[in-house]
Short mmCIF file of all heavy atoms in Angstrom, two decimals:
data_model
loop_
_atom_site.label_atom_id
_atom_site.label_comp_id
_atom_site.label_asym_id
_atom_site.label_seq_id
_atom_site.Cartn_x
_atom_site.Cartn_y
_atom_site.Cartn_z
N ASP A 1417 -181.52 -18.64 -161.27
CA ASP A 1417 -180.41 -19.57 -161.33
C ASP A 1417 -180.21 -20.02 -162.77
O ASP A 1417 -181.16 -20.08 -163.54
CB ASP A 1417 -180.66 -20.78 -160.43
CG ASP A 1417 -180.52 -20.44 -158.96
OD1 ASP A 1417 -179.37 -20.37 -158.48
OD2 ASP A 1417 -181.55 -20.23 -158.30
N TYR A 1418 -178.95 -20.34 -163.10
CA TYR A 1418 -178.60 -20.70 -164.46
C TYR A 1418 -177.69 -21.91 -164.48
O TYR A 1418 -176.87 -22.12 -163.57
CB TYR A 1418 -177.88 -19.54 -165.16
CG TYR A 1418 -178.71 -18.30 -165.31
CD1 TYR A 1418 -178.71 -17.31 -164.34
CD2 TYR A 1418 -179.51 -18.12 -166.44
CE1 TYR A 1418 -179.48 -16.17 -164.48
CE2 TYR A 1418 -180.28 -16.97 -166.59
CZ TYR A 1418 -180.26 -16.01 -165.60
OH TYR A 1418 -181.03 -14.89 -165.75
N ALA A 1419 -177.80 -22.67 -165.56
CA ALA A 1419 -176.81 -23.70 -165.82
C ALA A 1419 -175.49 -23.03 -166.15
O ALA A 1419 -175.45 -21.94 -166.75
CB ALA A 1419 -177.26 -24.58 -166.98
N ASP A 1420 -174.39 -23.66 -165.79
CA ASP A 1420 -173.07 -23.08 -166.05
C ASP A 1420 -172.87 -22.82 -167.53
O ASP A 1420 -172.21 -21.85 -167.91
CB ASP A 1420 -171.98 -24.01 -165.53
CG ASP A 1420 -171.89 -24.03 -164.01
OD1 ASP A 1420 -172.43 -23.10 -163.38
OD2 ASP A 1420 -171.29 -24.98 -163.48
N SER A 1421 -173.45 -23.66 -168.36
CA SER A 1421 -173.23 -23.57 -169.81
C SER A 1421 -173.86 -22.33 -170.42
O SER A 1421 -173.51 -21.95 -171.55
CB SER A 1421 -173.78 -24.82 -170.50
OG SER A 1421 -175.16 -24.97 -170.24
N VAL A 1422 -174.79 -21.69 -169.72
CA VAL A 1422 -175.47 -20.52 -170.29
C VAL A 1422 -175.24 -19.24 -169.49
O VAL A 1422 -175.68 -18.16 -169.91
CB VAL A 1422 -176.98 -20.76 -170.44
CG1 VAL A 1422 -177.24 -22.04 -171.22
CG2 VAL A 1422 -177.69 -20.78 -169.10
N LYS A 1423 -174.56 -19.34 -168.36
CA LYS A 1423 -174.32 -18.15 -167.54
C LYS A 1423 -173.59 -17.08 -168.33
O LYS A 1423 -172.63 -17.35 -169.04
CB LYS A 1423 -173.50 -18.52 -166.30
CG LYS A 1423 -174.30 -19.09 -165.17
CD LYS A 1423 -173.41 -19.42 -163.99
CE LYS A 1423 -174.20 -20.08 -162.87
NZ LYS A 1423 -173.33 -20.50 -161.75
N GLY A 1424 -174.07 -15.86 -168.20
CA GLY A 1424 -173.46 -14.74 -168.91
C GLY A 1424 -173.99 -14.56 -170.32
O GLY A 1424 -173.72 -13.54 -170.96
N ARG A 1425 -174.72 -15.54 -170.83
CA ARG A 1425 -175.27 -15.45 -172.20
C ARG A 1425 -176.79 -15.40 -172.20
O ARG A 1425 -177.38 -14.73 -173.05
CB ARG A 1425 -174.81 -16.65 -173.04
CG ARG A 1425 -173.31 -16.77 -173.19
CD ARG A 1425 -172.94 -17.86 -174.20
NE ARG A 1425 -173.39 -19.18 -173.81
CZ ARG A 1425 -174.20 -19.95 -174.54
NH1 ARG A 1425 -174.65 -19.52 -175.70
NH2 ARG A 1425 -174.55 -21.15 -174.11
N PHE A 1426 -177.42 -16.12 -171.28
CA PHE A 1426 -178.88 -16.20 -171.22
C PHE A 1426 -179.38 -15.43 -170.00
O PHE A 1426 -178.72 -15.39 -168.95
CB PHE A 1426 -179.34 -17.64 -171.10
CG PHE A 1426 -179.14 -18.50 -172.32
CD1 PHE A 1426 -178.37 -18.08 -173.40
CD2 PHE A 1426 -179.73 -19.76 -172.37
CE1 PHE A 1426 -178.20 -18.87 -174.51
CE2 PHE A 1426 -179.56 -20.58 -173.49
CZ PHE A 1426 -178.79 -20.13 -174.54
N THR A 1427 -180.58 -14.86 -170.15
CA THR A 1427 -181.22 -14.17 -169.03
C THR A 1427 -182.68 -14.57 -168.95
O THR A 1427 -183.41 -14.47 -169.94
CB THR A 1427 -181.13 -12.65 -169.20
OG1 THR A 1427 -179.76 -12.25 -169.32
CG2 THR A 1427 -181.75 -11.93 -168.01
N ILE A 1428 -183.08 -15.04 -167.78
CA ILE A 1428 -184.48 -15.37 -167.55
C ILE A 1428 -185.14 -14.19 -166.84
O ILE A 1428 -184.54 -13.54 -165.98
CB ILE A 1428 -184.63 -16.67 -166.72
CG1 ILE A 1428 -186.10 -17.12 -166.66
CG2 ILE A 1428 -184.04 -16.52 -165.33
CD1 ILE A 1428 -186.30 -18.51 -166.05
N SER A 1429 -186.39 -13.91 -167.23
CA SER A 1429 -187.13 -12.83 -166.60
C SER A 1429 -188.61 -13.17 -166.68
O SER A 1429 -189.01 -14.12 -167.36
CB SER A 1429 -186.85 -11.49 -167.28
OG SER A 1429 -187.26 -11.52 -168.64
N ARG A 1430 -189.41 -12.41 -165.96
CA ARG A 1430 -190.85 -12.65 -166.00
C ARG A 1430 -191.59 -11.33 -165.87
O ARG A 1430 -191.10 -10.38 -165.26
CB ARG A 1430 -191.28 -13.63 -164.91
CG ARG A 1430 -191.09 -13.13 -163.50
CD ARG A 1430 -191.34 -14.26 -162.49
NE ARG A 1430 -192.72 -14.71 -162.47
CZ ARG A 1430 -193.12 -15.89 -161.96
NH1 ARG A 1430 -192.20 -16.73 -161.46
NH2 ARG A 1430 -194.39 -16.24 -161.95
N ASP A 1431 -192.80 -11.33 -166.42
CA ASP A 1431 -193.70 -10.19 -166.30
C ASP A 1431 -195.00 -10.73 -165.74
O ASP A 1431 -195.79 -11.35 -166.47
CB ASP A 1431 -193.90 -9.55 -167.67
CG ASP A 1431 -194.73 -8.29 -167.61
OD1 ASP A 1431 -195.53 -8.14 -166.67
OD2 ASP A 1431 -194.61 -7.45 -168.52
N ASN A 1432 -195.21 -10.52 -164.44
CA ASN A 1432 -196.40 -11.07 -163.81
C ASN A 1432 -197.69 -10.38 -164.30
O ASN A 1432 -198.77 -10.96 -164.20
CB ASN A 1432 -196.29 -10.96 -162.30
CG ASN A 1432 -195.29 -11.97 -161.73
OD1 ASN A 1432 -194.90 -12.91 -162.42
ND2 ASN A 1432 -194.87 -11.75 -160.50
N GLY A 1433 -197.57 -9.19 -164.82
CA GLY A 1433 -198.73 -8.52 -165.39
C GLY A 1433 -199.17 -9.14 -166.71
O GLY A 1433 -200.34 -9.06 -167.08
N LYS A 1434 -198.23 -9.78 -167.39
CA LYS A 1434 -198.52 -10.41 -168.68
C LYS A 1434 -198.54 -11.94 -168.58
O LYS A 1434 -198.69 -12.62 -169.60
CB LYS A 1434 -197.49 -9.98 -169.73
CG LYS A 1434 -197.55 -8.50 -170.06
CD LYS A 1434 -196.55 -8.15 -171.14
CE LYS A 1434 -196.65 -6.68 -171.51
NZ LYS A 1434 -195.68 -6.30 -172.57
N ASN A 1435 -198.35 -12.47 -167.37
CA ASN A 1435 -198.35 -13.92 -167.18
C ASN A 1435 -197.37 -14.62 -168.13
O ASN A 1435 -197.70 -15.66 -168.73
CB ASN A 1435 -199.75 -14.50 -167.38
CG ASN A 1435 -200.70 -14.14 -166.26
OD1 ASN A 1435 -200.32 -13.47 -165.30
ND2 ASN A 1435 -201.94 -14.54 -166.38
N THR A 1436 -196.20 -14.07 -168.24
CA THR A 1436 -195.23 -14.58 -169.20
C THR A 1436 -193.83 -14.62 -168.59
O THR A 1436 -193.43 -13.70 -167.88
CB THR A 1436 -195.22 -13.70 -170.47
OG1 THR A 1436 -196.53 -13.69 -171.05
CG2 THR A 1436 -194.24 -14.24 -171.50
N VAL A 1437 -193.12 -15.68 -168.92
CA VAL A 1437 -191.71 -15.79 -168.57
C VAL A 1437 -190.90 -15.78 -169.87
O VAL A 1437 -191.37 -16.31 -170.89
CB VAL A 1437 -191.43 -17.04 -167.73
CG1 VAL A 1437 -191.75 -18.31 -168.47
CG2 VAL A 1437 -189.99 -17.05 -167.21
N TYR A 1438 -189.73 -15.17 -169.81
CA TYR A 1438 -188.90 -15.01 -171.00
C TYR A 1438 -187.54 -15.65 -170.80
O TYR A 1438 -187.06 -15.80 -169.68
CB TYR A 1438 -188.70 -13.52 -171.30
CG TYR A 1438 -189.97 -12.74 -171.48
CD1 TYR A 1438 -190.49 -11.99 -170.42
CD2 TYR A 1438 -190.65 -12.73 -172.68
CE1 TYR A 1438 -191.66 -11.26 -170.56
CE2 TYR A 1438 -191.83 -12.01 -172.83
CZ TYR A 1438 -192.32 -11.29 -171.77
OH TYR A 1438 -193.49 -10.58 -171.93
N LEU A 1439 -186.92 -16.00 -171.93
CA LEU A 1439 -185.53 -16.42 -171.90
C LEU A 1439 -184.83 -15.68 -173.04
O LEU A 1439 -185.05 -16.00 -174.21
CB LEU A 1439 -185.40 -17.93 -172.08
CG LEU A 1439 -183.97 -18.47 -171.96
CD1 LEU A 1439 -183.48 -18.32 -170.51
CD2 LEU A 1439 -183.89 -19.93 -172.39
N GLN A 1440 -184.03 -14.70 -172.67
CA GLN A 1440 -183.24 -13.98 -173.65
C GLN A 1440 -181.93 -14.74 -173.85
O GLN A 1440 -181.20 -14.96 -172.87
CB GLN A 1440 -182.95 -12.56 -173.17
CG GLN A 1440 -182.07 -11.74 -174.10
CD GLN A 1440 -182.72 -11.44 -175.42
OE1 GLN A 1440 -183.88 -11.06 -175.48
NE2 GLN A 1440 -181.97 -11.60 -176.50
N MET A 1441 -181.68 -15.11 -175.08
CA MET A 1441 -180.51 -15.93 -175.39
C MET A 1441 -179.59 -15.15 -176.33
O MET A 1441 -180.00 -14.85 -177.46
CB MET A 1441 -180.92 -17.25 -176.03
CG MET A 1441 -181.92 -18.04 -175.20
SD MET A 1441 -182.28 -19.66 -175.87
CE MET A 1441 -183.07 -19.22 -177.42
N ASN A 1442 -178.41 -14.83 -175.86
CA ASN A 1442 -177.43 -14.10 -176.65
C ASN A 1442 -176.20 -14.96 -176.89
O ASN A 1442 -175.99 -15.97 -176.22
CB ASN A 1442 -177.01 -12.82 -175.91
CG ASN A 1442 -178.16 -11.86 -175.69
OD1 ASN A 1442 -179.10 -11.80 -176.49
ND2 ASN A 1442 -178.09 -11.10 -174.60
N SER A 1443 -175.39 -14.55 -177.84
CA SER A 1443 -174.15 -15.27 -178.16
C SER A 1443 -174.41 -16.75 -178.32
O SER A 1443 -173.70 -17.60 -177.75
CB SER A 1443 -173.10 -15.02 -177.07
OG SER A 1443 -172.85 -13.65 -176.92
#
């Protein structure tokens, strides 16, 4: 889920093998 202000620009993802969550922020 995303805030309206970041939809289409930000992407959240996770790698359970690396115990890490990411936030890719574009534009």
Side-chain angles (χ1 to χ4, degrees):
D1417 287 281
Y1418 297 90
D1420 288 343
S1421 59
V1422 307
K1423 278 180 184 176
R1425 300 188 298 121
F1426 290 11
T1427 302
I1428 188 171
S1429 62
R1430 65 189 294 162
D1431 185 335
N1432 287 345
K1434 295 182 178 180
N1435 289 358
T1436 302
V1437 62
Y1438 304 98
L1439 185 68
Q1440 177 66 45
M1441 305 186 295
N1442 298 329
S1443 302

